[in-house]
Amino acid sequence: MPAQAVVAAPGLEHTLATLLDLTRLAQRARTEAELGFVLVNDSLRLQPYRLAVLWRAGRGIEALSGLVQPEADAPYAQWAQGLCRHLQRSLPADGQPRAFTSLDLPPELAAPWAEWWPAQALWLPLPPADPPAPTEAAGAAAAPLPLPRRAEPPAAALVLVRDEPWTEPERLLLQEWTAIWWHAWAALRRQPRVAWWRPWRRDPAAGPAARRWWRRPAPWVLAALAGLAFVPVRLSVLAPGELVPRNPVVVRAPLEGVIDAFHVKPNDDVAPGQPLFGFDEALIRSRLRVSQQALATASAEYRQTAQQSLVDARVRPQLAALSGRIEERAAEVAFLREQLQRSRVLAPQAGVALFDDPAQWIGKPVVVGERILRIAAPDDVEIEAWLPVADAIELPPGTPVQLFLNARPLEPVAATLRFMAHEAVQRPDGSWAYRLRATLAAPAGQRVGLKGTARLEGESVPLAYWVMRRPIATARAWLGR
């Protein structure tokens, strides 16, 4: 409410009416800030002044006249706060108002006085002491509210500043008003607060019908929430998943050597007998030529010894050894020819070639049996998911599974759980998870390798358990019970 410069009328009726109006304003205030605004601005209706400051010990400047919210770091607020602290320490702790000027202050506080304030100021401590009995000069018609005397410094104070000196009747009237204001402030601080868990608390000011708890909405809201906690819902967990081939054909290295070239690219469709990749044939061909030459040499030596045996019977026993050497060389040539054929790896069936970047394989030495790539049928696809250990729940075969692909999050892929591994394995990121495989309910029409998030639905549980399952598990792991 904005302050209005209204000069008090000399009549007692006007003074009492103004005091009653200010009392109503103080009683209707709902916050301490609103109550402080009334004190520093609406007190002008009782006595004229130019500036007002509300100060509280330990809090600093609470309110300034003409401002909605004072700035604590402003130079004026800092100076006024230091002045109020000095007055709190220097003035007697009797709760009586005191008029003062810049002459009553130390030099460091008196120097900026002329810049900020007029000549005359009035210190009104809060809570105020009992004022003396009213006199006719004061124009008081009723005794002030009794307040306990305090021996310690005041907890707060109101400072009013103007050009004219303060008279005794004005101090008494303002002391009466500050006593009323302090009672309103104390009552506001002592207002009972109804806890949220006691919504049925009765309101003493309400009628008999309103005091009945079943006529209040809060108990019914709590009852509805309690009933909602037992609503059955399907327990579900999320796990990272992807589309993988169900029964892929693994193509392994048929021999030991170095891969020379790839004839297909990743995700290419291949036909049966189509070349996939090949090994470096230089070593095999050189060994084959050496073996063929050794076979020819062994054959020539055998023929020469056979002709010589016709005239010399002593060399006839060497024919058996030479014949065995020919067979050995022939077997070696046959083996190397077979190795040369196996160095050109062909597709065993039709499907999609699944492997990494070919550049990583070219020039890399491999051993016999090392997996190079996989060939999967286009429609032979299923879901593979990794369920974290913390989210492991009972998931029997046939559990509904939905895979939300990152490429198409609005088109989930439906499936049913085929199996869940009994033991968790460590993944490349260091976490432990259970491997799950799920059979698609219908062809997905998506390529193998697409990743997403799999949602698995378990048994029905109450909604309260669904919400509190993870917090309870965390608490039990932390408490060890």
Side-chain angles (χ1 to χ4, degrees):
M1 181 181 297
Q4 297 178 357
V6 179
V7 179
L12 178 61
E13 295 81 0
H14 184 274
T15 301
L16 291 177
T18 303
L19 187 60
L20 289 176
D21 190 23
L22 292 177
T23 302
R24 295 191 187 95
L25 289 178
Q27 292 174 346
R28 294 172 183 174
R30 293 294 178 264
T31 62
E32 296 182 20
E34 183 179 352
L35 198 58
F37 186 87
V38 171
L39 182 63
V40 298
N41 291 283
D42 292 284
S43 300
L44 185 67
R45 298 167 58 185
L46 281 178
Q47 294 297 332
Y49 57 86
R50 289 178 56 185
L51 296 172
V53 176
L54 175 59
W55 170 83
R56 283 179 59 186
R59 297 286 298 272
I61 303 300
E62 288 283 327
L64 295 174
S65 59
L67 295 178
V68 177
Q69 180 66 35
E71 296 183 5
D73 298 332
Y76 172 66
Q78 294 290 332
W79 175 78
Q81 182 176 349
L83 183 145
C84 293
R85 284 200 299 263
H86 171 75
L87 294 176
Q88 182 197 31
R89 294 190 300 265
S90 61
L91 293 180
D94 55 0
Q96 297 297 333
R98 295 284 192 282
F100 65 97
T101 64
S102 61
L103 301 177
D104 301 321
L105 300 177
E108 63 272 11
L109 294 177
W113 180 294
E115 180 181 357
W116 304 113
W117 280 1
Q120 303 294 329
L122 180 63
W123 169 265
L124 294 165
L126 298 172
D130 297 338
T135 61
E136 293 183 0
L145 295 175
L147 290 173
R149 294 185 178 274
R150 296 178 177 268
E152 63 273 7
L158 174 66
V159 181
L160 302 179
V161 190
R162 69 182 185 183
D163 296 314
E164 300 80 10
W166 296 93
T167 64
E168 182 66 19
E170 292 174 337
R171 291 200 297 267
L172 292 176
L173 180 60
L174 290 172
Q175 186 179 11
E176 184 73 23
W177 157 233
T178 54
I180 296 174
W181 182 90
W182 181 261
H183 273 287
W185 183 85
L188 185 64
R189 298 270 294 184
R190 292 194 300 267
Q191 281 185 356
R193 298 179 180 178
V194 179
W196 64 270
W197 59 85
R198 299 181 61 186
W200 51 84
R201 180 168 179 168
R202 295 181 178 179
D203 184 5
R211 290 198 296 266
R212 299 191 182 107
W213 66 268
W214 59 83
R215 294 181 179 270
R216 300 172 65 87
W220 294 106
V221 173
L222 292 179
L225 293 177
L228 187 64
F230 293 94
V231 173
V233 295
R234 295 293 295 270
L235 184 62
S236 60
V237 292
L238 300 178
E242 63 176 317
L243 293 176
V244 297
R246 182 174 183 180
N247 297 308
V249 176
V250 179
V251 180
R252 302 180 183 274
L255 51 89
E256 183 176 354
V258 177
I259 297 179
D260 180 60
F262 263 87
H263 305 295
V264 294
K265 298 178 181 179
N267 299 325
D268 278 355
D269 294 330
V270 298
Q274 180 179 345
L276 299 176
F277 59 90
F279 286 82
D280 186 2
E281 301 177 359
L283 180 60
I284 301 177
R285 290 184 180 277
S286 63
R287 292 175 58 187
L288 178 58
R289 287 195 297 267
V290 172
S291 298
Q292 289 175 344
Q293 186 64 33
L295 177 59
T297 303
S299 298
E301 186 177 359
Y302 178 81
R303 289 192 300 269
Q304 182 180 1
T305 303
Q307 293 176 0
Q308 187 178 0
S309 66
L310 296 177
V311 297
D312 189 358
R314 291 176 299 178
V315 298
R316 190 173 297 174
Q318 298 178 6
L319 294 177
L322 295 175
S323 177
R325 187 179 301 176
I326 292 174
E327 293 178 0
E328 179 182 355
R329 299 303 181 185
E332 185 177 355
V333 170
F335 172 75
L336 292 175
R337 286 176 177 173
E338 183 181 359
Q339 288 289 90
L340 185 60
Q341 294 179 355
R342 296 176 63 184
S343 65
R344 305 182 185 93
V345 182
L346 307 179
Q349 69 173 29
V352 179
L354 305 177
F355 62 101
D356 296 332
D357 185 10
Q360 298 180 357
W361 289 101
I362 296 176
K364 177 182 178 182
V366 296
V367 297
V368 178
E370 185 175 353
R371 190 178 74 173
I372 307 299
L373 56 83
R374 295 178 298 169
I375 297 178
D379 297 332
D380 190 21
V381 182
E382 65 179 2
I383 296 175
E384 181 183 58
W386 295 90
L387 183 63
V389 175
D391 293 333
I393 60 175
E394 187 67 25
L395 295 173
T399 299
V401 179
Q402 284 186 319
L403 178 63
F404 296 87
L405 297 173
N406 297 332
R408 294 186 177 182
L410 300 180
E411 300 178 6
V413 179
T416 55
L417 184 64
R418 185 161 62 92
F419 77 89
M420 175 179 175
H422 294 283
E423 296 183 0
V425 296
Q426 190 174 14
R427 302 199 66 196
D429 58 357
S431 62
W432 291 81
Y434 296 93
R435 184 195 300 267
L436 294 90
R437 287 294 184 100
T439 304
L440 299 183
Q446 304 292 336
R447 69 175 182 84
V448 175
L450 293 181
K451 299 181 180 297
T453 301
R455 182 174 181 269
L456 301 99
E457 296 183 355
E459 59 183 357
S460 296
V461 295
L463 180 61
Y465 177 80
W466 183 84
V467 174
M468 298 299 297
R469 184 180 67 88
R470 290 298 297 272
I472 292 175
T474 303
R476 290 192 62 180
W478 183 71
L479 297 175
R481 297 184 178 180

